[in-house]
Amino acid sequence: MKAERAGTKPDGRWLGLYVLAYLVFLYLPVLLIPLFSFNDSIQAAFPLQGFTSQWYATLYGNPALSGALLNSLVIGAIAASGATLCGITVSYMDLYGRSPLATTISAIARLPILIPGVIVGISLLILINLIGLGPSRVAIVLGHILVALPTTVVVMRSRFAAIPRTVREAALDLGASDWTTFRRVMLPLSLPAVLSAFMLAFLISFDEFIVVFFLAGTEPTLPLYIWSQLRFPRSLPTVMALGTVILATSFIIAGTAEILRHRGLGAARRDPA
């Protein structure tokens, strides 16, 4: 036993070093953005010139930034609502529809996560031009629903699957219709997951760039605004300050969504009825 334990310790150390190196490689560049956003220089380089918060002050009173932020918020809210509604319907029918068509639709709904964003953007651009819609806010909403749909389907499907089937069967045995069972039993039990799916879908829509790049008209979203500002070196500190605000907000939203999702799953296991 001692030999086996001694033999596993080096493997454990190597695994720990690998995980540490992976985390540093993944998150160190992200952590540099908040650091340089407080640097009193337009150059993102060491050594730091001093501490300042002036770059955050430049975020206020910028009409172009305010317009792009408003577009992202409106598009994100509408797209997240549509993606969550579709995710609820697709995942519920996949589990309880007992139809090959429902299973096929569920698989198709999760497919966009495997397709490169450039291909999705070009395909949507061709489609909206064929139907005469053209690059616009409506086209961006439709594209964001498509991009966020896989996440909402995965979240809602795991939530519905965590609810014992006996709960639904008991409601049906008591005379409730399928619609009543879904509305009065299954949906209230899945409310934390619904909120989690909405928040994650909103976050995906808010941060999406590739699809918006192809579908945006004359009203850019916040990611497009950031991309346009990167061409001007003097705007880099302001962009890093804006990126820090977006990064902090994204962590809060993603963390809250994950807490809600786990709370809902835990409640289903403790008290399924």
Side-chain angles (χ1 to χ4, degrees):
M1 294 294 293
K2 291 183 178 180
E4 292 178 0
R5 291 177 182 175
T8 58
K9 285 183 179 179
D11 295 338
R13 291 196 190 99
W14 283 113
L15 180 59
L17 290 175
Y18 169 77
V19 172
L20 179 61
Y22 175 79
L23 292 176
V24 170
F25 175 78
L26 187 63
Y27 290 107
L28 183 59
V30 177
L31 294 178
L32 289 177
I33 294 177
L35 179 63
F36 286 124
S37 69
F38 291 102
N39 184 30
D40 192 11
S41 172
I42 63 172
Q43 300 293 331
F46 291 103
L48 301 179
Q49 301 301 313
F51 178 86
T52 182
S53 59
Q54 63 174 322
W55 311 122
Y56 290 87
T58 59
L59 298 179
Y60 298 96
N62 188 331
L65 173 60
S66 301
L69 176 61
L70 181 60
N71 284 335
S72 290
L73 292 175
V74 172
I75 291 172
I78 298 175
S81 300
T84 304
L85 180 61
C86 293
I88 293 172
T89 305
V90 171
S91 58
Y92 188 80
M93 291 304 298
D94 182 24
L95 287 172
Y96 300 106
R98 297 178 182 178
S99 169
L101 179 60
T103 304
T104 303
I105 293 176
S106 178
I108 294 175
R110 286 174 283 180
L111 190 60
I113 200 172
L114 303 176
I115 302 176
V118 174
I119 303 301
V120 174
I122 294 175
S123 302
L124 290 174
L125 178 61
I126 295 174
L127 177 62
I128 64 172
N129 285 331
L130 288 176
I131 63 178
L133 188 60
S136 62
R137 186 182 295 185
V138 176
I140 296 176
V141 170
L142 296 177
H144 283 191
I145 290 177
L146 178 66
V147 173
L149 183 58
T151 300
T152 60
V153 170
V154 170
V155 172
M156 293 309 305
R157 194 181 189 283
S158 63
R159 181 64 183 100
F160 285 135
I163 301 175
R165 290 182 177 268
T166 53
V167 175
R168 180 174 180 272
E169 293 171 356
L172 294 175
D173 290 340
L174 291 174
S177 63
D178 287 334
W179 168 245
T180 302
T181 301
F182 170 77
R183 182 173 57 90
R184 300 291 297 273
V185 179
M186 305 299 290
L187 194 58
L189 289 175
S190 306
L191 186 58
V194 173
L195 296 177
S196 176
F198 175 85
M199 296 173 71
L200 291 176
F202 176 84
L203 195 59
I204 292 172
S205 173
F206 190 84
D207 295 336
E208 177 59 37
F209 170 77
I210 298 179
V211 172
V212 177
F213 182 80
F214 288 96
L215 301 181
T218 58
E219 299 179 348
T221 60
L222 193 58
L224 277 183
Y225 171 81
I226 294 175
W227 176 79
S228 66
Q229 294 300 304
L230 290 177
R231 295 176 293 176
F232 309 104
R234 299 190 64 86
S235 299
L236 182 59
T238 303
V239 169
M240 288 190 293
L242 179 59
T244 302
V245 175
I246 295 175
L247 184 64
T249 305
S250 299
F251 272 119
I252 293 173
I253 294 177
T256 305
E258 191 66 12
I259 291 172
L260 288 172
R261 189 178 70 87
H262 281 286
R263 181 173 297 179
L265 292 175
R269 296 187 183 101
R270 291 193 305 268
D271 187 16

